[in-house]
Amino acid sequence: MSVGKPTDWGEWKALERHHAEIADLHLRDLFAREADRGTRLSLEALDLYFDFSKNRLTDETLRLLRALAVKADLKRGIDAMFSGEKINFTEKRAVLHTALRAPRDAVIRVDGENVVPGVHAVIDKMADFANRVRSGAWKGHTGKRIKNVINIGIGGSDLGPAMAYEALRKFSERSMTFHFVSNVDATDFAEAVQGLDPAETLFIVSSKTFTTLETLANAHTARSWALDALKDEKAIAKHFVAVSTNAKEVSKFGIDTENMFEFWDWVGGRYSYDSAIGLSLVIAVGPDRFREMLAGFHAMDEHFRTAPIEKNLPVTLGLIGLWYNDFFGAQTQSILPYNQYLWRLTAYLQQLDMESNGKSTDRDGNPITDYQTGPIVWGQPGTNGQHAYYQLIHQGTKLIPCDFIGFSKASNALGEHHELLMANCLAQTEALAFGKTAEQVRAEGVAEDEVPHRTFRGNHPTNTILVKNELTPHILGQIIALYEHKVFTQGWIWRINSFDQWGVELGKVLAKRIIPELQSKEPPKLAHDSSTNRLIELFRKYRDA
Ligand code: F6P
C-alpha cells in the first residue's frame, strides 16, 4: 500500500508541474487543435455515455492522473473493499454496500461468514412484505387497507429512499402515498400526516443505530398520533415496522422484531438505500423494479471492479474531480441532472460525498494540511438552476466544475419538451466551454461600453453523462453506484477514511447538553460561552413571553 503524503509522491509533483504548464490553456484552443477531441475523450459503460472532453486537460494530464491512481494503489483499494477487508479502520468495519446487490450465488465473506444469503433473505422478506402491503393483504389494525407509507429516518436513512422514490415515481403505485419525515422540526411530521387516516397509515422507522435523536422523536410522535386514533397498543404491530441493525432498541421502542428488517454494520448509512433502508421504495415500486435497480448497481460495481483504469468510468470521474479540487483550487462541484425526477439527487449526493470525504486526518492519523479533500457538492435540476445561479458559473470569478446528466429518452414524452430540455443541457456545456469573445460580441453590433459585460470568457469545465435511455430503476442504480465509486476513488487517493463520520458527533453531544437547559423551568445554568449563553437566555425569554 502506498505510504506517506500524496503531496510527497513524484506523481503528485508531476501533476503540479503539469498544471503550471497547462492551467491557462483554453478549451477553445484544445478543441481547435484536436479534431477528434469530442469523441476521443469519452467513455461508455452500460447505459452511460461519458463525455469528458470539455475539461481543462490533455492526454498528458490523463496519463499523470492515472499514474497517481496507480501510485495510490487504487486497484488494491478496490479489491480490499469488494473482498470485505475492514477498510473503515476507525470503526473496524468492512465496507460492503456492494454485497447488497451481489447476485444470490456470490460469496462475500465477513469474518469468515458468507453474507450474501443473509442479504437475499432480507430482500425476499422485504419483497414479501411489500407485496402484502401493495395487494392489501396486510391490513391496518381496524381492517382497512394501507394507503399511506411514511418513512421516518434522517441522513442516510432518509435521503436515499426519498431520492429514489422521487426518481422512480413514474413506476410507483399511484393508489398509495409515500412520505419521508426526517427533520426534528415538528412541521415535517405535522405536514406529512395532514389529512391522513391513521388506520390507513404505515410507519417505517428507519435507523441503523435506532438511537438517532430526530428519528426517535419523530417515531414517538408518530406512535402517539396513531394511538390517539386507534386507541389500542396492539395497533402498533400493524402500523409500525422498523429497519435497523439494532434489534434491542427496536423492541425497546415497542416494535416486534418480527416486523424488523435487518441490515448490518458493514453498510454505511449513506450507502444503505439499497439495503432494507429502501423498504419504502420496494413498497412504492414493487420488488421487481427494486431488483432491477439492484442489478443496475451491481453492473456498475462490476465495471468499477474489473475495467482498466483508462476505461473505468467512476475512476475517470474521480480523477477529473481531483484534478480541479487539488490542482486548480476549485472548492465546489456542481451536479446538474436534467431530469425533474432527479430533483433530490444532488441532496443525496451531498451526503454521499461530503460526509464521506469531508475529512482532514489521513490514514496514519496525521492532519491533512497541504492538500484538499472532498469538495462542496451542490446543484439543482436543469433547467431551473439556469434561471438562478448559472450566471455565477458563467461569469463569476470562481471555477466551478459541473457534471451535467441528461437522458436520451423522455420519461414523459409531451410535445417538444424533451428536446427543449436537452437542447438547454447541451447548450450550457457548450457556452461554458467556449464562451463568447469580445470580437464576437462586437460583431453583433453591441455598443462598446457593453462589450465587457456581454463577454463570456468560457473555459469552464464540464462532464456530460448522456444516458442512452430514459430514467429506469436499472439506470438509477448505475448512476448511484457511479458516484459511490467516484467518492471511493478520491477518498482512497487522499488517504482518508471515507466511511466514518465522527464530524457529526460533537454537535449531537452538545445538543443533548442544551436540551434540558431549554426545557428546564429553573434559571438557565449558563455554562457555555457568552454567545451561546445569551442565545439560550433570549430563546427562553422570547418563547415564554
Ligand atoms: O448524520 C450522521 C448520521 O450518522 C449519518 O451518517 C446517518 O446516515 C444518519 O446519522 C442516521 O443514522 P441512523 O440511521 O443510525 O439513524
Side-chain angles (χ1 to χ4, degrees), residues 77-104:
I78 296 172
D79 291 343
M81 175 171 71
F82 276 84
S83 63
E85 252 181 62
K86 298 199 172 165
I87 58 170
N88 175 358
F89 50 87
T90 58
E91 297 180 310
K92 299 180 182 51
R93 288 175 182 165
V95 173
L96 270 179
H97 42 279
T98 51
L100 299 170
R101 51 263 190 160
R104 256 178 223 279

PDB file of all heavy atoms in Angstrom, residues 77-104:
ATOM      1  N   GLY A  77      -7.083  -0.973  -3.306  1.00  0.00           N
ATOM      2  CA  GLY A  77      -8.175  -0.426  -2.505  1.00  0.00           C
ATOM      3  C   GLY A  77      -9.512  -0.997  -2.937  1.00  0.00           C
ATOM      4  O   GLY A  77     -10.348  -1.390  -2.105  1.00  0.00           O
ATOM      5  N   ILE A  78      -9.712  -1.048  -4.261  1.00  0.00           N
ATOM      6  CA  ILE A  78     -10.977  -1.575  -4.789  1.00  0.00           C
ATOM      7  C   ILE A  78     -11.135  -3.040  -4.361  1.00  0.00           C
ATOM      8  O   ILE A  78     -12.190  -3.449  -3.861  1.00  0.00           O
ATOM      9  CB  ILE A  78     -11.019  -1.435  -6.335  1.00  0.00           C
ATOM     10  CG1 ILE A  78     -11.006   0.048  -6.717  1.00  0.00           C
ATOM     11  CG2 ILE A  78     -12.232  -2.146  -6.914  1.00  0.00           C
ATOM     12  CD1 ILE A  78     -10.841   0.327  -8.209  1.00  0.00           C
ATOM     13  N   ASP A  79     -10.057  -3.809  -4.529  1.00  0.00           N
ATOM     14  CA  ASP A  79     -10.128  -5.228  -4.145  1.00  0.00           C
ATOM     15  C   ASP A  79     -10.395  -5.365  -2.647  1.00  0.00           C
ATOM     16  O   ASP A  79     -11.160  -6.237  -2.220  1.00  0.00           O
ATOM     17  CB  ASP A  79      -8.822  -5.953  -4.510  1.00  0.00           C
ATOM     18  CG  ASP A  79      -8.670  -6.083  -6.011  1.00  0.00           C
ATOM     19  OD1 ASP A  79      -9.693  -5.924  -6.719  1.00  0.00           O
ATOM     20  OD2 ASP A  79      -7.541  -6.310  -6.481  1.00  0.00           O
ATOM     21  N   ALA A  80      -9.765  -4.494  -1.861  1.00  0.00           N
ATOM     22  CA  ALA A  80      -9.942  -4.567  -0.406  1.00  0.00           C
ATOM     23  C   ALA A  80     -11.402  -4.306  -0.040  1.00  0.00           C
ATOM     24  O   ALA A  80     -11.987  -5.007   0.792  1.00  0.00           O
ATOM     25  CB  ALA A  80      -9.032  -3.551   0.278  1.00  0.00           C
ATOM     26  N   MET A  81     -11.998  -3.313  -0.701  1.00  0.00           N
ATOM     27  CA  MET A  81     -13.406  -3.008  -0.386  1.00  0.00           C
ATOM     28  C   MET A  81     -14.310  -4.180  -0.783  1.00  0.00           C
ATOM     29  O   MET A  81     -15.105  -4.654   0.029  1.00  0.00           O
ATOM     30  CB  MET A  81     -13.860  -1.732  -1.104  1.00  0.00           C
ATOM     31  CG  MET A  81     -15.339  -1.442  -0.896  1.00  0.00           C
ATOM     32  SD  MET A  81     -15.866   0.163  -1.489  1.00  0.00           S
ATOM     33  CE  MET A  81     -15.785  -0.032  -3.249  1.00  0.00           C
ATOM     34  N   PHE A  82     -14.157  -4.638  -2.017  1.00  0.00           N
ATOM     35  CA  PHE A  82     -15.048  -5.692  -2.510  1.00  0.00           C
ATOM     36  C   PHE A  82     -14.879  -7.004  -1.749  1.00  0.00           C
ATOM     37  O   PHE A  82     -15.791  -7.815  -1.717  1.00  0.00           O
ATOM     38  CB  PHE A  82     -14.823  -5.928  -4.009  1.00  0.00           C
ATOM     39  CG  PHE A  82     -15.582  -4.971  -4.888  1.00  0.00           C
ATOM     40  CD1 PHE A  82     -15.074  -3.713  -5.174  1.00  0.00           C
ATOM     41  CD2 PHE A  82     -16.811  -5.317  -5.423  1.00  0.00           C
ATOM     42  CE1 PHE A  82     -15.768  -2.818  -5.987  1.00  0.00           C
ATOM     43  CE2 PHE A  82     -17.517  -4.428  -6.235  1.00  0.00           C
ATOM     44  CZ  PHE A  82     -16.989  -3.175  -6.512  1.00  0.00           C
ATOM     45  N   SER A  83     -13.679  -7.226  -1.189  1.00  0.00           N
ATOM     46  CA  SER A  83     -13.483  -8.523  -0.542  1.00  0.00           C
ATOM     47  C   SER A  83     -13.779  -8.469   0.951  1.00  0.00           C
ATOM     48  O   SER A  83     -13.570  -9.445   1.670  1.00  0.00           O
ATOM     49  CB  SER A  83     -12.060  -9.011  -0.786  1.00  0.00           C
ATOM     50  OG  SER A  83     -11.174  -8.104  -0.177  1.00  0.00           O
ATOM     51  N   GLY A  84     -14.259  -7.329   1.436  1.00  0.00           N
ATOM     52  CA  GLY A  84     -14.709  -7.274   2.822  1.00  0.00           C
ATOM     53  C   GLY A  84     -13.609  -6.991   3.836  1.00  0.00           C
ATOM     54  O   GLY A  84     -13.795  -7.229   5.033  1.00  0.00           O
ATOM     55  N   GLU A  85     -12.483  -6.455   3.352  1.00  0.00           N
ATOM     56  CA  GLU A  85     -11.443  -6.037   4.314  1.00  0.00           C
ATOM     57  C   GLU A  85     -11.992  -4.887   5.162  1.00  0.00           C
ATOM     58  O   GLU A  85     -12.791  -4.085   4.672  1.00  0.00           O
ATOM     59  CB  GLU A  85     -10.222  -5.521   3.549  1.00  0.00           C
ATOM     60  CG  GLU A  85      -9.054  -6.459   3.605  1.00  0.00           C
ATOM     61  CD  GLU A  85      -7.866  -5.898   2.850  1.00  0.00           C
ATOM     62  OE1 GLU A  85      -7.359  -4.825   3.236  1.00  0.00           O
ATOM     63  OE2 GLU A  85      -7.467  -6.538   1.862  1.00  0.00           O
ATOM     64  N   LYS A  86     -11.502  -4.759   6.378  1.00  0.00           N
ATOM     65  CA  LYS A  86     -12.061  -3.724   7.270  1.00  0.00           C
ATOM     66  C   LYS A  86     -11.414  -2.367   6.973  1.00  0.00           C
ATOM     67  O   LYS A  86     -10.636  -1.833   7.768  1.00  0.00           O
ATOM     68  CB  LYS A  86     -11.889  -4.155   8.719  1.00  0.00           C
ATOM     69  CG  LYS A  86     -12.662  -5.449   8.945  1.00  0.00           C
ATOM     70  CD  LYS A  86     -12.975  -5.770  10.357  1.00  0.00           C
ATOM     71  CE  LYS A  86     -13.907  -6.979  10.346  1.00  0.00           C
ATOM     72  NZ  LYS A  86     -14.088  -7.665  11.551  1.00  0.00           N
ATOM     73  N   ILE A  87     -11.770  -1.833   5.798  1.00  0.00           N
ATOM     74  CA  ILE A  87     -11.128  -0.577   5.387  1.00  0.00           C
ATOM     75  C   ILE A  87     -11.728   0.629   6.102  1.00  0.00           C
ATOM     76  O   ILE A  87     -11.165   1.712   6.043  1.00  0.00           O
ATOM     77  CB  ILE A  87     -11.173  -0.378   3.853  1.00  0.00           C
ATOM     78  CG1 ILE A  87     -12.613  -0.386   3.329  1.00  0.00           C
ATOM     79  CG2 ILE A  87     -10.326  -1.416   3.142  1.00  0.00           C
ATOM     80  CD1 ILE A  87     -12.733   0.052   1.880  1.00  0.00           C
ATOM     81  N   ASN A  88     -12.862   0.470   6.763  1.00  0.00           N
ATOM     82  CA  ASN A  88     -13.346   1.527   7.661  1.00  0.00           C
ATOM     83  C   ASN A  88     -12.607   1.288   8.981  1.00  0.00           C
ATOM     84  O   ASN A  88     -13.134   0.691   9.917  1.00  0.00           O
ATOM     85  CB  ASN A  88     -14.860   1.434   7.823  1.00  0.00           C
ATOM     86  CG  ASN A  88     -15.404   2.439   8.836  1.00  0.00           C
ATOM     87  OD1 ASN A  88     -14.646   3.190   9.459  1.00  0.00           O
ATOM     88  ND2 ASN A  88     -16.715   2.445   9.006  1.00  0.00           N
ATOM     89  N   PHE A  89     -11.355   1.769   9.007  1.00  0.00           N
ATOM     90  CA  PHE A  89     -10.456   1.340  10.086  1.00  0.00           C
ATOM     91  C   PHE A  89     -10.749   2.029  11.407  1.00  0.00           C
ATOM     92  O   PHE A  89     -10.448   1.474  12.457  1.00  0.00           O
ATOM     93  CB  PHE A  89      -8.986   1.522   9.667  1.00  0.00           C
ATOM     94  CG  PHE A  89      -8.679   2.890   9.124  1.00  0.00           C
ATOM     95  CD1 PHE A  89      -8.326   3.920   9.961  1.00  0.00           C
ATOM     96  CD2 PHE A  89      -8.767   3.130   7.760  1.00  0.00           C
ATOM     97  CE1 PHE A  89      -8.067   5.189   9.453  1.00  0.00           C
ATOM     98  CE2 PHE A  89      -8.516   4.400   7.237  1.00  0.00           C
ATOM     99  CZ  PHE A  89      -8.158   5.429   8.091  1.00  0.00           C
ATOM    100  N   THR A  90     -11.377   3.196  11.397  1.00  0.00           N
ATOM    101  CA  THR A  90     -11.664   3.829  12.691  1.00  0.00           C
ATOM    102  C   THR A  90     -12.832   3.148  13.399  1.00  0.00           C
ATOM    103  O   THR A  90     -12.969   3.230  14.612  1.00  0.00           O
ATOM    104  CB  THR A  90     -11.987   5.333  12.543  1.00  0.00           C
ATOM    105  OG1 THR A  90     -13.106   5.454  11.664  1.00  0.00           O
ATOM    106  CG2 THR A  90     -10.808   6.120  12.007  1.00  0.00           C
ATOM    107  N   GLU A  91     -13.703   2.498  12.624  1.00  0.00           N
ATOM    108  CA  GLU A  91     -14.822   1.775  13.236  1.00  0.00           C
ATOM    109  C   GLU A  91     -14.613   0.261  13.135  1.00  0.00           C
ATOM    110  O   GLU A  91     -15.492  -0.503  13.522  1.00  0.00           O
ATOM    111  CB  GLU A  91     -16.148   2.181  12.563  1.00  0.00           C
ATOM    112  CG  GLU A  91     -16.464   3.659  12.765  1.00  0.00           C
ATOM    113  CD  GLU A  91     -17.783   4.085  12.113  1.00  0.00           C
ATOM    114  OE1 GLU A  91     -18.006   3.780  10.928  1.00  0.00           O
ATOM    115  OE2 GLU A  91     -18.586   4.747  12.789  1.00  0.00           O
ATOM    116  N   LYS A  92     -13.466  -0.105  12.580  1.00  0.00           N
ATOM    117  CA  LYS A  92     -13.079  -1.528  12.425  1.00  0.00           C
ATOM    118  C   LYS A  92     -14.180  -2.334  11.737  1.00  0.00           C
ATOM    119  O   LYS A  92     -14.618  -3.378  12.213  1.00  0.00           O
ATOM    120  CB  LYS A  92     -12.714  -2.134  13.781  1.00  0.00           C
ATOM    121  CG  LYS A  92     -11.531  -1.411  14.402  1.00  0.00           C
ATOM    122  CD  LYS A  92     -11.101  -1.924  15.731  1.00  0.00           C
ATOM    123  CE  LYS A  92      -9.948  -1.093  16.289  1.00  0.00           C
ATOM    124  NZ  LYS A  92     -10.165   0.375  16.297  1.00  0.00           N
ATOM    125  N   ARG A  93     -14.622  -1.786  10.605  1.00  0.00           N
ATOM    126  CA  ARG A  93     -15.719  -2.437   9.886  1.00  0.00           C
ATOM    127  C   ARG A  93     -15.365  -2.633   8.416  1.00  0.00           C
ATOM    128  O   ARG A  93     -14.676  -1.790   7.821  1.00  0.00           O
ATOM    129  CB  ARG A  93     -16.970  -1.559   9.922  1.00  0.00           C
ATOM    130  CG  ARG A  93     -17.611  -1.533  11.280  1.00  0.00           C
ATOM    131  CD  ARG A  93     -18.768  -0.561  11.281  1.00  0.00           C
ATOM    132  NE  ARG A  93     -19.350  -0.494  12.603  1.00  0.00           N
ATOM    133  CZ  ARG A  93     -20.180   0.459  13.001  1.00  0.00           C
ATOM    134  NH1 ARG A  93     -20.522   1.428  12.171  1.00  0.00           N
ATOM    135  NH2 ARG A  93     -20.681   0.452  14.208  1.00  0.00           N
ATOM    136  N   ALA A  94     -15.927  -3.698   7.866  1.00  0.00           N
ATOM    137  CA  ALA A  94     -15.858  -3.863   6.416  1.00  0.00           C
ATOM    138  C   ALA A  94     -16.779  -2.825   5.768  1.00  0.00           C
ATOM    139  O   ALA A  94     -17.644  -2.238   6.433  1.00  0.00           O
ATOM    140  CB  ALA A  94     -16.299  -5.273   6.046  1.00  0.00           C
ATOM    141  N   VAL A  95     -16.587  -2.622   4.477  1.00  0.00           N
ATOM    142  CA  VAL A  95     -17.384  -1.638   3.727  1.00  0.00           C
ATOM    143  C   VAL A  95     -17.983  -2.401   2.551  1.00  0.00           C
ATOM    144  O   VAL A  95     -17.358  -2.566   1.517  1.00  0.00           O
ATOM    145  CB  VAL A  95     -16.477  -0.488   3.247  1.00  0.00           C
ATOM    146  CG1 VAL A  95     -17.244   0.450   2.336  1.00  0.00           C
ATOM    147  CG2 VAL A  95     -15.894   0.259   4.443  1.00  0.00           C
ATOM    148  N   LEU A  96     -19.179  -2.907   2.742  1.00  0.00           N
ATOM    149  CA  LEU A  96     -19.663  -3.889   1.768  1.00  0.00           C
ATOM    150  C   LEU A  96     -21.029  -3.555   1.177  1.00  0.00           C
ATOM    151  O   LEU A  96     -21.828  -4.459   0.930  1.00  0.00           O
ATOM    152  CB  LEU A  96     -19.685  -5.278   2.408  1.00  0.00           C
ATOM    153  CG  LEU A  96     -18.381  -6.062   2.224  1.00  0.00           C
ATOM    154  CD1 LEU A  96     -18.470  -7.417   2.893  1.00  0.00           C
ATOM    155  CD2 LEU A  96     -18.034  -6.234   0.743  1.00  0.00           C
ATOM    156  N   HIS A  97     -21.260  -2.259   0.918  1.00  0.00           N
ATOM    157  CA  HIS A  97     -22.542  -1.965   0.260  1.00  0.00           C
ATOM    158  C   HIS A  97     -22.646  -2.719  -1.072  1.00  0.00           C
ATOM    159  O   HIS A  97     -23.738  -2.991  -1.541  1.00  0.00           O
ATOM    160  CB  HIS A  97     -22.752  -0.468   0.064  1.00  0.00           C
ATOM    161  CG  HIS A  97     -21.543   0.279  -0.383  1.00  0.00           C
ATOM    162  ND1 HIS A  97     -20.564   0.676   0.488  1.00  0.00           N
ATOM    163  CD2 HIS A  97     -21.155   0.684  -1.599  1.00  0.00           C
ATOM    164  CE1 HIS A  97     -19.625   1.308  -0.183  1.00  0.00           C
ATOM    165  NE2 HIS A  97     -19.948   1.327  -1.448  1.00  0.00           N
ATOM    166  N   THR A  98     -21.502  -3.055  -1.660  1.00  0.00           N
ATOM    167  CA  THR A  98     -21.558  -3.805  -2.926  1.00  0.00           C
ATOM    168  C   THR A  98     -22.168  -5.199  -2.723  1.00  0.00           C
ATOM    169  O   THR A  98     -22.718  -5.768  -3.673  1.00  0.00           O
ATOM    170  CB  THR A  98     -20.154  -3.927  -3.542  1.00  0.00           C
ATOM    171  OG1 THR A  98     -19.267  -4.429  -2.543  1.00  0.00           O
ATOM    172  CG2 THR A  98     -19.653  -2.585  -4.044  1.00  0.00           C
ATOM    173  N   ALA A  99     -22.082  -5.735  -1.498  1.00  0.00           N
ATOM    174  CA  ALA A  99     -22.685  -7.058  -1.248  1.00  0.00           C
ATOM    175  C   ALA A  99     -24.212  -6.983  -1.272  1.00  0.00           C
ATOM    176  O   ALA A  99     -24.892  -7.990  -1.483  1.00  0.00           O
ATOM    177  CB  ALA A  99     -22.214  -7.602   0.095  1.00  0.00           C
ATOM    178  N   LEU A 100     -24.765  -5.774  -1.060  1.00  0.00           N
ATOM    179  CA  LEU A 100     -26.219  -5.618  -1.029  1.00  0.00           C
ATOM    180  C   LEU A 100     -26.843  -5.897  -2.389  1.00  0.00           C
ATOM    181  O   LEU A 100     -28.034  -6.126  -2.499  1.00  0.00           O
ATOM    182  CB  LEU A 100     -26.597  -4.202  -0.590  1.00  0.00           C
ATOM    183  CG  LEU A 100     -26.139  -3.779   0.806  1.00  0.00           C
ATOM    184  CD1 LEU A 100     -26.370  -2.293   1.018  1.00  0.00           C
ATOM    185  CD2 LEU A 100     -26.899  -4.588   1.867  1.00  0.00           C
ATOM    186  N   ARG A 101     -26.038  -5.777  -3.433  1.00  0.00           N
ATOM    187  CA  ARG A 101     -26.581  -6.005  -4.780  1.00  0.00           C
ATOM    188  C   ARG A 101     -25.855  -7.142  -5.489  1.00  0.00           C
ATOM    189  O   ARG A 101     -25.917  -7.260  -6.711  1.00  0.00           O
ATOM    190  CB  ARG A 101     -26.551  -4.704  -5.583  1.00  0.00           C
ATOM    191  CG  ARG A 101     -25.250  -3.950  -5.633  1.00  0.00           C
ATOM    192  CD  ARG A 101     -25.146  -2.823  -4.621  1.00  0.00           C
ATOM    193  NE  ARG A 101     -23.955  -2.017  -4.925  1.00  0.00           N
ATOM    194  CZ  ARG A 101     -23.749  -0.786  -4.526  1.00  0.00           C
ATOM    195  NH1 ARG A 101     -24.598  -0.193  -3.741  1.00  0.00           N
ATOM    196  NH2 ARG A 101     -22.665  -0.140  -4.879  1.00  0.00           N
ATOM    197  N   ALA A 102     -25.150  -7.952  -4.730  1.00  0.00           N
ATOM    198  CA  ALA A 102     -24.478  -9.101  -5.337  1.00  0.00           C
ATOM    199  C   ALA A 102     -25.513 -10.171  -5.664  1.00  0.00           C
ATOM    200  O   ALA A 102     -26.510 -10.316  -4.955  1.00  0.00           O
ATOM    201  CB  ALA A 102     -23.445  -9.655  -4.368  1.00  0.00           C
ATOM    202  N   PRO A 103     -25.295 -10.919  -6.752  1.00  0.00           N
ATOM    203  CA  PRO A 103     -26.256 -11.986  -7.078  1.00  0.00           C
ATOM    204  C   PRO A 103     -26.279 -13.080  -6.017  1.00  0.00           C
ATOM    205  O   PRO A 103     -25.324 -13.225  -5.253  1.00  0.00           O
ATOM    206  CB  PRO A 103     -25.753 -12.529  -8.419  1.00  0.00           C
ATOM    207  CG  PRO A 103     -24.406 -11.974  -8.627  1.00  0.00           C
ATOM    208  CD  PRO A 103     -24.218 -10.801  -7.725  1.00  0.00           C
ATOM    209  N   ARG A 104     -27.368 -13.819  -6.016  1.00  0.00           N
ATOM    210  CA  ARG A 104     -27.584 -14.849  -4.989  1.00  0.00           C
ATOM    211  C   ARG A 104     -26.423 -15.821  -4.827  1.00  0.00           C
ATOM    212  O   ARG A 104     -26.141 -16.293  -3.741  1.00  0.00           O
ATOM    213  CB  ARG A 104     -28.819 -15.683  -5.362  1.00  0.00           C
ATOM    214  CG  ARG A 104     -30.027 -15.348  -4.553  1.00  0.00           C
ATOM    215  CD  ARG A 104     -31.215 -16.175  -4.993  1.00  0.00           C
ATOM    216  NE  ARG A 104     -32.405 -15.336  -5.052  1.00  0.00           N
ATOM    217  CZ  ARG A 104     -33.142 -15.008  -3.995  1.00  0.00           C
ATOM    218  NH1 ARG A 104     -32.839 -15.442  -2.801  1.00  0.00           N
ATOM    219  NH2 ARG A 104     -34.191 -14.224  -4.139  1.00  0.00           N
TER     220      ARG A 104
END
